[in-house]
Amino acid sequence: MENKPTILIIDDEQGLRDMLSFALQKEGYIVLTAENGMEGLKKVTEQKIDMVITDIKMPEMDGITVLGKIKEIKPDIEVIVATGYGTMETAIEALRKGAYDFINKPFNLDELSALLSKAYETKQLKSKLVSLEELDRLKDEFFSMVTHDLRTPLMAISGTLELILSDEQVSDETKLDFQSERNKKLLLIIHRNTERIRALVNNLLDFAKMEAGCWQLKKQDISVISIINDSINGVQSLADNKKISITKHISLIGHTFKSDEILVNCDYEQVERVLTNLIANSIKYTREAGRINVYFEKIDKEIKFVVEDNGKGITKENLGKVFDKFYRVDPSLKKEESGFGIGLSICKRVVELHKGKIYAESEGLAKGSRFIFTIPIR
Ligand code: ADP
């Protein structure tokens, strides 16, 4: 077996527990044992268990009660109940309560072994089904998000074009006046929205490439300071629109070299994209006249980049989730500058491909956020 399944044996007879442990370990299972129901349930709660074999007749808590509780705590565990001779009714009750099957005591090992491998196969099939259902749900959600996020700028474009064309003085389209102040403003709206669609489509294509695993890094020795300067320059106009200040800090304590001498072996385009994405997010999620600090530090054999803002912050509960694909803390906030909730998951992939780490910190809502990532120098 490539992945050893774990079996828990719950039985008050020590001899039987020892014999089964020995036999099943020899067959490649990881075996845990418990001498009563309470101890068994504790193990079920605390450990990863695939299957349980429980005796029916036990002092304190009988096997049927144990089965019921296991199905409450971890319904995906397959349970086989070991019944005494002539207790058909109990066996049927166990099946009704969700047991995978029952086996009469005293049983022969080949029979038990066949039952266990069938139970494990069923468990794996069920879990594949659950992941397929989950994937299907995510796919539906994703499609409706993509449709919505692409339709919004498209509607803005077509509405604006209608305004231009409905100008009473325009009877002939060749005489459109693109110099008038009104039309210049309308053209800018069209430009902004086509840019939004372009960025969304590019992100989607890159995301698809990464998902398909055909993403190749083009590594070179790159000056860290040029990555930082280019990233900040790329989003400066977005920050200016919201009167947000971006300050650069370089920590070279204990080093003798100058900041522009620090090189890192990485895919320039991708690392610049990560940093740009983090700063653009900080701009997005920070109110007007907010502050953003971009730090970089050389620590041993890696470069640490930090983007810190004093914006809306992230709750503790959501800190780990923001890097999940399709995750958006509050989808309703994204009418103006929508993304698909894949920006940070792309960042995570890029950083991990470089064998670095990425994580977020925040003291909570309205307390600002800090996004940190590291890239090994070599
Ligand atoms: P999106 O396209 O929604 O911005 P991301 O993957 O970039 O997708 O971010 C996922 C979610 O993480 C965002 O929807 C937002 O809720 C949260 N987030 C990202 N950056 C910040 C930040 N600087 N401050 C607060 N929340 C943030």
Side-chain angles (χ1 to χ4, degrees):
M1 280 174 242
E2 325 117 25
N3 245 338
K4 285 186 175 181
T6 306
I7 300 179
L8 169 67
I9 301 163
I10 311 176
D11 202 303
D12 54 338
E13 272 180 60
Q14 179 163 7
L16 190 92
R17 288 200 306 272
D18 292 346
M19 184 274 286
L20 279 183
S21 288
F22 178 76
L24 295 176
Q25 272 170 20
K26 253 179 82 183
E27 290 204 14
Y29 293 102
I30 297 170
V31 183
L32 307 173
T33 57
E35 61 178 304
N36 57 49
M38 283 311 283
E39 194 193 327
L41 290 177
K42 191 163 178 282
K43 291 200 168 151
V44 164
T45 315
E46 291 168 0
Q47 312 203 27
K48 194 197 146 292
I49 288 166
D50 296 297
M51 289 170 291
V52 171
I53 305 169
T54 179
D55 189 17
I56 283 287
K57 262 189 164 177
M58 289 185 292
E60 288 163 46
M61 193 186 284
D62 65 74
I64 295 284
T65 313
V66 173
L67 162 71
K69 291 206 186 286
I70 293 176
K71 287 287 159 185
E72 262 171 42
I73 313 169
K74 304 223 174 127
D76 59 327
I77 294 182
E78 297 296 353
V79 183
I80 293 171
V81 294
T83 51
Y85 178 73
T87 48
M88 205 52 186
E89 268 173 32
T90 325
I92 291 171
E93 193 188 349
L95 291 178
R96 264 202 219 110
K97 290 212 158 150
Y100 175 76
D101 209 339
F102 63 91
I103 187 161
N104 282 322
K105 262 178 156 182
F107 41 76
N108 95 25
L109 272 177
D110 290 343
E111 194 188 352
L112 179 67
S113 171
L115 199 54
L116 281 171
S117 45
K118 258 184 15 205
Y120 188 56
E121 219 172 276
T122 309
K123 182 174 187 289
Q124 282 182 311
L125 281 176
K126 278 189 197 161
S127 97
K128 268 191 200 147
L129 196 67
V130 170
S131 350
L132 282 176
E133 279 167 1
E134 173 65 6
L135 206 65
D136 214 38
R137 192 186 59 73
L138 274 180
K139 192 194 69 195
D140 286 351
E141 234 171 57
F142 181 64
F143 272 123
S144 70
M145 210 153 65
V146 172
T147 325
H148 170 267
D149 288 357
L150 286 176
R151 205 160 44 192
T152 313
L154 257 181
M155 271 160 47
I157 294 172
S158 73
T160 316
L161 278 173
E162 258 173 47
L163 273 179
I164 296 178
L165 294 171
S166 68
D167 193 331
E168 278 169 25
Q169 294 162 15
V170 182
S171 48
D172 178 354
E173 285 170 20
T174 58
K175 289 190 186 141
L176 277 173
D177 175 10
F178 288 119
Q179 296 309 315
S180 76
E181 278 311 305
R182 169 185 174 271
N183 280 356
K184 270 192 202 159
K185 275 192 193 144
L186 293 176
L187 284 175
L188 273 178
I189 298 178
I190 294 178
H191 176 66
R192 236 188 2 251
N193 281 287
T194 29
E195 278 305 297
R196 255 174 83 185
I197 295 181
R198 196 180 58 84
L200 290 177
V201 171
N202 281 349
N203 251 355
L204 275 177
L205 286 176
D206 287 345
F207 178 70
K209 265 193 229 158
M210 284 195 190
E211 285 289 286
C214 47
W215 189 274
Q216 293 284 341
L217 291 181
K218 295 182 205 110
K219 285 191 178 181
Q220 295 169 41
D221 283 342
I222 305 286
S223 137
V224 177
I225 199 75
S226 74
I227 300 179
I228 295 188
N229 287 340
D230 293 351
S231 303
I232 295 179
N233 288 341
V235 291
Q236 190 64 55
S237 63
L238 292 176
D240 293 345
N241 286 344
K242 284 179 84 175
K243 301 189 180 56
I244 289 176
S245 65
I246 305 181
T247 317
K248 199 166 58 186
H249 306 261
I250 298 162
S251 166
L252 288 176
I253 303 163
H255 296 295
T256 49
F257 39 74
K258 293 196 209 106
S259 62
D260 52 3
E261 287 170 1
I262 300 183
L263 302 179
V264 58
N265 190 252
C266 68
D267 184 327
Y268 164 78
E269 222 176 273
Q270 298 311 325
V271 176
E272 195 249 1
R273 153 206 230 134
V274 173
L275 194 58
T276 305
N277 211 318
L278 296 183
I279 307 174
N281 270 355
S282 282
I283 299 172
K284 238 196 280 185
Y285 300 109
T286 299
R287 67 192 177 290
E288 293 239 331
R291 279 193 320 275
I292 296 175
N293 291 313
V294 180
Y295 297 89
F296 106 72
E297 207 177 327
K298 181 177 175 297
I299 306 171
D300 290 335
K301 294 190 169 86
E302 58 185 25
I303 302 289
K304 180 174 173 188
F305 296 86
V306 180
V307 178
E308 179 185 78
D309 62 55
N310 63 345
K312 69 191 280 266
I314 303 169
T315 59
K316 282 227 155 28
E317 182 201 343
N318 286 330
L319 272 179
K321 297 187 195 157
V322 291
F323 296 99
D324 291 352
K325 55 188 167 191
F326 312 137
Y327 189 78
R328 296 151 117 186
V329 173
D330 185 353
S332 64
L333 284 176
K334 308 298 300 302
K335 297 225 166 65
E336 272 308 299
E337 298 179 52
S338 54
F340 295 123
I342 54 176
L344 286 180
S345 74
I346 294 181
C347 291
K348 186 166 182 249
R349 289 282 178 98
V350 170
V351 172
E352 284 173 355
L353 278 176
H354 281 89
K355 309 229 178 318
K357 291 197 186 73
I358 184 163
Y359 52 97
E361 294 175 349
S362 173
E363 296 303 314
L365 287 182
K367 302 252 171 82
S369 316
R370 197 176 306 115
F371 282 80
I372 299 137
F373 72 96
T374 58
I375 301 282
I377 291 177
R378 281 277 131 213

